[in-house]
Amino acid sequence: MKISAIKLAQLNVEMHHAIKTPIGEISAARNVVVKIETDSGLYGWGETSPMAAITGDSQASAYALGRDMASLLVGRDALALEPNMEFLRRYCARATSILCAFDMALYDLAAKHAGMPLYQFLGGAPRQLETDHTIGHQETVAATVAMAKRLVAAGFNTIKLKTGRPGLEDLEHLQAVREEVGPKIKLRIDCNQGWDLPTAVGNLKHLEALDIEYLEQPLPVWDVDGFAQLRLKTTIPICADESVFTHIDALRLVKADAVDYLNIKLVKSGGINTALKINSIAEAAGIRCMVGCFGESRLGLSAAAHLAAARRNICFIDLDSALHFCEDPVHGGMDYVPDTGGSICLPATPGHGAEFDEKALSKVIEICS
């Protein structure tokens, strides 16, 4: 089965409100879409959501590079997953964002060819998945608490709060939220590299009393030694996000005894192919993983949810970006089950099960053999 054509497009969807973090904010999805078609009539969909402050690229740059990658991939065996991804990585190894879109489309296509849902194609089975819901930086403590109240009222069991403010400014927000939501709601916090080691230590001494499930990316990407030191100074588990793009990064963190958990994001890893390798290293080291997102639609999130369903070592789910969309451009795929604490339902259809409404796409181009 040969790749006969590849379509690239842009997806632009506004969000209800901006999600503010120490390294920027997301107020809209500015994504790139890939559709890989074959001479058998089967096709696969992929998506990426670049975030320049983390991935080092943008919608425009990922779209431009995707045109070059598409011209290289047309005519190749669509089912040769590992050779195809190795081929694309040799062309531009660090372009994880656009690599993710091609990888996702190839895995969707291969699972469809096998007649299996993607989780089954990856060797897994259906299981319960429950996402958290994220609160970005708010201007006041009252605004943070108000958002937390709305999420609890909507049925979410787990809230993720963006932190990383200067000094001890986060504490008042977190203490107020814990007091409001009570002990049964799980709280996770994500600094997005906002603290240095002394600030992190100062905050964690107070946060241990708030029953925080884990602390994500408290320090800059490069500070592996700081991560290792911080783990020795707190009982709160430490999770790496921006510090782990590939399985090589995962191995470095494991060797340094620097983390308790690893956050896998398909846009960072370049897709499922490398994500599986990250999880294998973590599992071998006794480290659990989470799966996260940037600004993906339900299509990109569907692929990530299938990965999580297929690997029980992926225990924490942060796939809430589509909940912030003003419009939903996706048919099929994963869905959020109302009033169930953030439960995600995956379809049993072949592939990841999601497709775009092509009317929602712009700047569509087609590369043929």
Side-chain angles (χ1 to χ4, degrees), residues 12 24 29-30 73 78 92 120 150 152 164 196-197 224 251 280 287 311 329 333 335 339 355 363:
N12 298 290
R30 299 286 183 253
L73 206 58
C92 195
Q120 185 180 34
R150 285 198 292 272
V152 173
D196 57 17
L197 182 59
V224 176
L251 184 59
S280 292
I287 290 174
R311 293 295 183 271
D335 212 348
D339 303 317
E355 297 196 6
K363 296 187 177 181

Side-chain angles (χ1 to χ4, degrees), residues 175-187:
Q175 288 166 345
V177 168
R178 174 53 80 198
E179 182 177 351
E180 174 62 39
V181 304
K184 292 184 179 180
I185 299 298
K186 290 178 283 189
L187 298 182

Side-chain angles (χ1 to χ4, degrees), residues 101-117:
F102 281 97
D103 169 283
M104 193 181 298
L106 287 168
Y107 272 89
D108 183 34
L109 184 55
K112 285 176 178 174
H113 181 264
M116 299 176 177

Side-chain angles (χ1 to χ4, degrees), residues 126-202:
R127 67 183 180 100
Q128 181 69 36
L129 300 177
E130 183 180 292
T131 185
D132 59 23
H133 202 313
T134 300
I135 299 175
H137 283 188
Q138 304 300 306
E139 294 299 325
T140 65
V141 173
T144 303
V145 171
M147 290 200 72
K149 287 177 66 175
R150 285 198 292 272
L151 296 184
V152 173
F156 285 91
N157 292 326
T158 307
I159 298 173
K160 178 176 174 178
L161 296 110
K162 294 293 187 180
T163 54
R165 298 175 179 90
L168 300 177
E169 290 182 19
D170 290 306
L171 290 177
E172 192 176 1
H173 292 260
L174 296 169
Q175 288 166 345
V177 168
R178 174 53 80 198
E179 182 177 351
E180 174 62 39
V181 304
K184 292 184 179 180
I185 299 298
K186 290 178 283 189
L187 298 182
R188 302 167 179 172
I189 59 177
D190 181 6
C191 286
N192 288 115
Q193 309 176 62
W195 292 337
D196 57 17
L197 182 59
T199 304
V201 172

